[in-house]
Amino acid sequence: MAEIITVSVLNRYVKTLLERDAVLDGLAVRGEIAGFVHHYKSGHYYFSLRDEQCSIKAVMFSRDARRLPFTPQNGMRVILRGRVSLFERDGAYQLYVEEMIPDGVGSMQLALEQLKARLAAEGLFDPARKKPIPTEPACIGLVTSATGAAIQDIRNVLTRRWPLVQVLLAPVNVQGQQAAEEISAAIRRLDADGRPDVILVARGGGSREDLWVFNDEGIARAAAGCKTPLVSAIGHEIDYCILDLVADLRAPTPSAAAELCVPDQGQIMHKIQLFQENIHKSMQKRMEMWYNSNERLCQALAARSPGKMLEDRAGQLDRMAESLRRAAHSRLAQEQQRMEGAAALCAGLNPYAVLARGYAMVRDEAGELLPAEQPVQPGEHILVQRARQTLRCQVEDTLEPERNPQ
């Protein structure tokens, strides 16, 4: 008779058998999600994975669920990677999921739209956060495959348009399981380096599946956190990915990205030539203006020079001297005429002139002139002054003056 054991021992034994089976450890299972439950308190995902005939319980713990770029939904076809074990309490075996990948275009597109909506809600696509691209970078950080056609196209364009620019290559795989992690790390490494003025993430054309890696959330967040302006150039013009939405500038092709990142040396040389011509014309015009201004200043200086001023002042002085001479002659003539008139008047009033005509002046003995109204008494001594002599006389008598006949 077989040994009697407990249910716990049985379940533990079966669990041990399942976990020791190498086939059941790390396997990948394709199916459709059903009965999906998100336990908000713990963050675990509980659901069933089914196909047309069977189903299996599955659980994805929060530490793995947090890495998913999408939210699983009922009816979504997925590929699960994990291990099979037994849940001892219920005696049910189930799939412990470590990785979940959308299976098919529909599921992949749904996961992509969910990721877009989540990143957009966080503001990663906001135009206001996009940084301007430098017009003349000295160094470009390039994230691409070292053996792909994109790097050759970019180098050809840079050499032709702006050979002065330095290219700092961060070689990565642009497809495959490790590509997303390598691209994210390369963006962060170039951003921390400090030398690049702009970072260019590029990949040549390919199928939708080939370019799908650039929809990775890790790459999007590395680009969003990049302090250096970042340009995305993935595939062809019709190809769009999440990196294009996060990048500061999206270019339709790698060659176009190289053209957008650097100026055209031909155009720069043409602009320099125009600047030189404009500067020459401006200098010529300035020189003409200065020459004309100098001529005017020289003329003004000559008109106001000390010699000219002295010459003008000398002329003025000569004219003033001549005017003074004329005024002096005129004044002298006037004064001479007045003096002659006064002299004639004085000559007419000169008593000695009267004496010369036969008249005489009478003075007393002391020599004082006797007025006509002062009487003279007989016996007084008087002096009679004539024109040429003075007579000392004694009055014998006084006579009444003769009456003039009427």
Side-chain angles (χ1 to χ4, degrees):
M1 184 176 177
E3 180 182 357
I4 300 174
I5 59 175
T6 64
V7 175
S8 298
V9 172
L10 176 61
N11 287 353
R12 189 176 301 113
Y13 176 74
V14 175
K15 178 180 180 181
T16 302
L17 292 178
L18 294 174
E19 291 181 348
R20 286 179 178 177
D21 192 330
V23 176
L24 302 179
D25 186 16
L27 79 168
V29 185
R30 174 184 284 114
E32 181 182 293
I33 295 177
F36 179 80
V37 175
H38 179 195
H39 195 283
Y40 289 96
K41 187 174 182 180
S42 64
H44 305 328
Y45 291 165
Y46 299 96
F47 56 95
S48 296
L49 186 69
R50 67 187 181 186
D51 57 16
E52 292 79 3
Q53 298 177 351
C54 302
S55 66
I56 182 175
K57 295 290 184 181
V59 60
M60 189 174 196
F61 295 125
S62 60
R63 66 175 180 273
D64 299 314
R66 282 194 296 267
R67 297 199 303 268
L68 288 182
F70 63 95
T71 301
Q73 295 183 0
N74 289 324
M76 180 183 290
R77 293 187 59 81
V78 292
I79 298 175
L80 304 181
R81 296 183 184 277
R83 58 187 176 84
V84 174
S85 185
L86 185 78
F87 184 47
E88 293 185 31
R89 190 193 67 182
D90 296 339
Y93 88 100
Q94 59 185 6
L95 184 61
Y96 291 84
V97 182
E98 298 174 357
E99 184 180 359
M100 182 183 298
I101 303 172
D103 183 26
V105 175
S107 297
M108 293 174 65
Q109 188 62 36
L110 177 60
L112 178 62
E113 294 302 325
Q114 289 180 353
L115 179 59
K116 282 184 180 180
R118 183 153 50 86
L119 296 181
E122 295 180 23
L124 268 66
F125 305 156
D126 189 355
R129 60 167 294 278
K130 295 186 182 299
K131 299 176 285 296
I133 307 302
T135 57
E136 298 177 5
C139 179
I140 294 178
L142 180 57
V143 180
T144 190
S145 171
T147 58
I151 188 173
Q152 297 301 327
D153 294 340
I154 291 172
R155 282 177 170 169
N156 291 337
V157 172
L158 295 179
T159 302
R160 171 174 52 86
R161 288 176 61 89
W162 197 247
L164 298 176
V165 70
Q166 177 187 3
V167 177
L168 189 60
L169 176 63
V172 294
N173 288 311
V174 292
Q175 64 184 48
Q177 295 183 358
Q178 302 299 322
E181 184 177 349
E182 290 183 9
I183 295 170
S184 302
I187 293 174
R188 295 190 181 94
R189 187 166 63 253
L190 288 175
D191 187 38
D193 185 277
R195 283 179 290 175
D197 299 308
V198 61
I199 295 175
L200 174 56
V201 182
R203 188 205 192 281
S207 66
R208 185 176 184 181
E209 289 74 16
D210 293 336
L211 305 179
W212 195 264
V213 65
F214 293 96
N215 292 317
D216 182 76
E217 182 177 359
I219 296 178
R221 295 196 178 279
C226 186
K227 296 181 176 61
T228 307
L230 187 139
V231 178
S232 171
I234 308 303
H236 300 298
E237 187 170 1
I238 60 174
D239 299 317
Y240 267 88
C241 61
I242 286 183
L243 178 60
D244 294 330
L245 302 176
V246 179
D248 298 303
L249 178 65
R250 186 256 178 182
T253 62
S255 298
E259 293 184 357
L260 292 172
C261 287
V262 296
D264 185 354
Q265 64 174 341
Q267 295 179 357
I268 296 296
M269 293 300 295
H270 180 64
K271 288 182 179 179
I272 292 175
Q273 184 178 0
L274 291 178
F275 288 153
Q276 289 177 339
E277 293 176 357
N278 292 335
I279 290 173
H280 179 73
K281 292 179 180 179
S282 179
M283 291 179 63
Q284 192 70 24
K285 187 175 180 179
R286 286 289 185 91
M287 289 178 66
E288 291 177 358
M289 292 174 58
W290 289 338
Y291 178 79
N292 295 333
S293 177
N294 186 56
E295 283 292 316
R296 291 192 297 270
L297 290 175
C298 288
Q299 293 175 3
L301 183 60
R304 298 183 181 182
S305 65
K308 179 66 174 175
M309 294 177 67
L310 286 174
E311 183 180 348
D312 294 342
R313 295 297 187 271
Q316 293 179 7
L317 185 60
D318 291 341
R319 291 190 293 273
M320 291 175 66
E322 181 63 24
S323 177
L324 286 174
R325 282 193 296 271
R326 291 177 182 176
H329 288 314
S330 176
R331 184 66 176 271
L332 182 60
Q334 292 177 1
E335 295 299 327
Q336 186 174 1
Q337 185 177 4
R338 289 177 60 188
M339 187 173 65
E340 290 176 353
L345 180 62
C346 290
L349 298 176
N350 187 0
Y352 294 99
V354 177
L355 295 179
R357 292 198 302 268
Y359 292 93
M361 290 189 299
V362 180
R363 300 177 182 273
D364 60 14
E365 196 173 8
E368 295 292 335
L369 185 64
L370 293 175
E373 65 274 9
Q374 182 178 346
V376 179
Q377 300 300 324
E380 291 185 9
H381 290 86
I382 60 173
L383 297 176
V384 179
Q385 183 176 349
R386 299 177 66 193
R388 297 184 179 277
Q389 63 181 171
T390 302
L391 305 178
R392 184 180 298 275
C393 302
Q394 183 176 4
V395 178
E396 293 182 355
D397 194 6
T398 60
L399 300 177
E400 292 293 333
E402 296 181 359
R403 299 289 180 178
N404 291 329
Q406 296 292 328

